[in-house]
Amino acid sequence: MTTKNTLAQKTMPLYPAKTKIQVTIIFFVVLGIYTYSMIKTQEDMVGGFGGALGNMYTVIEKFFPPNFAILPAIWDSMMQTIQMAIIATTIAAILTVPLAVLSAQNITTFKPLYYLTRTLLNLLRTIPDLVLAVIFVGLFGIGVFPGILALTVFSLGILAKLISETIESVDMNPLEAMRASGGNVFQVIWYSLVPQIAPQFTSLVLYVFEINIRASVVLGMVGAGGVGLILNQQLKFYNYPNAMTVIIVIFATVLIIEYVSNKLREALL
Amino acid sequence: MIEFKNVGLVYPNGTEGLKNINVKINDGEFVVIVGLSGAGKSTFIRSINRLVTPTSGSLLVDNEDILKFKGKNLRKLRTKVGMIFQNYNLVKRTNVFKNVLAGRLGHTGTLRSIFNLYSKEDKALAYNNLNRVNIAEKLYNRADELSGGQQQRVSIARVLTQKPKYILADEPVASLDPPTSHQVMTYLKKINKEDNITTIVNLHFIDMAMEYADRIIGMRAGEVVFDGPVSEVTEKTFEEIYGRSIREDDLRGGAQE
């Protein structure tokens, strides 16, 4: 009896041998990629880390002290950036709903439709936000409108993907009950799906809003309105103290918005 | 009246859920389907409201072959055939009242239901049904705040609000303790008698089947192996249905004698 037990202990590894070999191989491959890319990037850095530290002093000297006198002038375009993010997030949040439902495998049982929306969303996500901004600025000229469009498309890709995954993890039992009591597709979704995903939906929308604030700064640099436009101008004029003020304002705004939306999310979940 | 005529069902993976079923269930009956898990009880019951679709034969509900139903017809059938589930299937984050009103979905237009525009009568009906299962005081509680037995009572109220002609109950007491199980079965039986709603219940507890059923249908491996009034059923009948001797865990116990 005892010999049988010890034998069983010895011959029973926690994972099958095949899995172990696979995981080991994957580990070494990843390690190899890391090592290779580290060596390569080191080669490209001209001065190495020592040079970077020396340059840092020069950079900091140029940027400081920031010129806070321009604060009132920045204020308007900072608000413009926030407004862009709010509008884009709202539009994306609305458009997301049908797209997310159609790309959730458990709700859209009609396979071709599911694959179509999935592919569309994947395509959407592969376009970088900067490229979108460049395209829309080219189409509609410099200003807030192309910025809003770029942000909308950009956040739609992320949001629809995240929400469709939330939908796929939902408890299907209540949906079955609604279907069994004669509800049509819209009623089933509204009564048993929406209540289940509402908290996550709100939380994800807030998260995407934060991303949009940051992204809209970058978009401004290619002419899509907002505070990024000013930042870009000041940098081009080598007016570093002014640029530093813009950077500080952006930093403070992002921190405040993150703090508020974190609090909101905590309250929701 | 529900009539199974040579009904068979083969799942896409090749499993035979139902094999040549011929059963007639009369109005007002309280039928209990017994059998081990995997015997086809769930498939049988879910065929009646087309949550699963049999692949051969015909299934008549009120003399209409429901196997051909689609879209609007199907939804109409489902308003007539209410269902109770093992896991209650309430929307947990929604309050009890709204859960019960969801029973009216099949009778309410899409827009009206989305904006919660239920008629006074519907609301009164929902409230009365909560009262019938003695849980009206939990009206505005969220469903996940209730115990299992309370949730199952809410789901009974939901099904009643649907004003069904038939009630299907798929293992309604499998997740409950013995006293609560008897409470739930008592409500189902009472509703069957008072409202004359034909009730079909899946159970695997022998003692409960004997206590509440008018008629017992035994299933094994997708086939009906016994069908008769409860008076004809003995322990030997169950041994035949189960294909083995009766064990302790085939009994729920806790009956109020």
Side-chain angles (χ1 to χ4, degrees), chain A residues 239-259:
Chain A
N239 204 340
Y240 291 122
N242 284 1
M244 193 62 208
T245 315
V246 178
I247 292 170
I248 290 172
V249 168
I250 293 168
F251 182 73
T253 316
V254 169
L255 275 189
I256 292 168
I257 285 170
E258 271 193 354
Y259 177 79

Side-chain angles (χ1 to χ4, degrees), chain B residues 65-83:
Chain B
D65 188 356
I66 62 156
L67 298 189
K68 295 185 186 78
F69 280 9
K70 264 188 202 163
K72 208 174 171 120
N73 275 339
L74 191 56
R75 289 202 297 277
K76 213 169 162 195
L77 166 78
R78 285 173 179 167
T79 59
K80 197 160 68 173
V81 186
M83 189 158 190

Side-chain angles (χ1 to χ4, degrees), chain A residues 171-188 190-192 195-199 268, chain B residues 46 49 51 75 78 81 85 87 89-94 98 102 105-106 108-110 113-114 116 118 158 162:
Chain A
D171 175 13
M172 291 300 284
N173 284 337
L175 278 81
E176 188 181 40
M178 297 299 162
R179 217 175 296 131
S181 64
N184 63 30
V185 183
F186 298 105
Q187 291 172 324
V188 169
W190 186 256
Y191 269 75
S192 47
Q196 287 193 69
I197 61 158
L268 278 166
Chain B
R46 279 157 195 260
N49 64 355
L51 285 182
R75 289 202 297 277
R78 285 173 179 167
V81 186
F85 302 83
N87 301 313
N89 294 11
L90 302 177
V91 184
K92 296 199 170 62
R93 299 183 56 91
T94 304
K98 209 172 165 193
L105 284 183
T108 313
T110 308
S113 60
I114 282 174
N116 293 327
Y118 290 97
R158 174 174 68 187
Q162 198 178 320

Side-chain angles (χ1 to χ4, degrees), chain A residues 110-169:
Chain A
F110 183 58
K111 286 277 172 252
L113 194 59
Y114 161 75
Y115 284 117
L116 187 77
T117 34
R118 260 278 123 129
T119 319
L120 188 81
L121 287 179
N122 285 338
L123 278 177
L124 216 60
R125 264 202 321 283
T126 54
I127 310 172
D129 48 350
L130 214 54
V131 173
L132 284 171
V134 170
I135 294 172
F136 285 123
V137 168
L139 287 177
F140 301 101
I142 288 179
V144 182
F145 183 66
I148 292 176
L149 278 184
L151 282 183
T152 307
V153 175
F154 167 69
S155 43
L156 189 62
I158 309 175
L159 205 53
K161 166 84 175 167
L162 291 175
I163 288 168
S164 75
E165 265 160 23
T166 312
I167 294 177
E168 280 176 352
S169 67

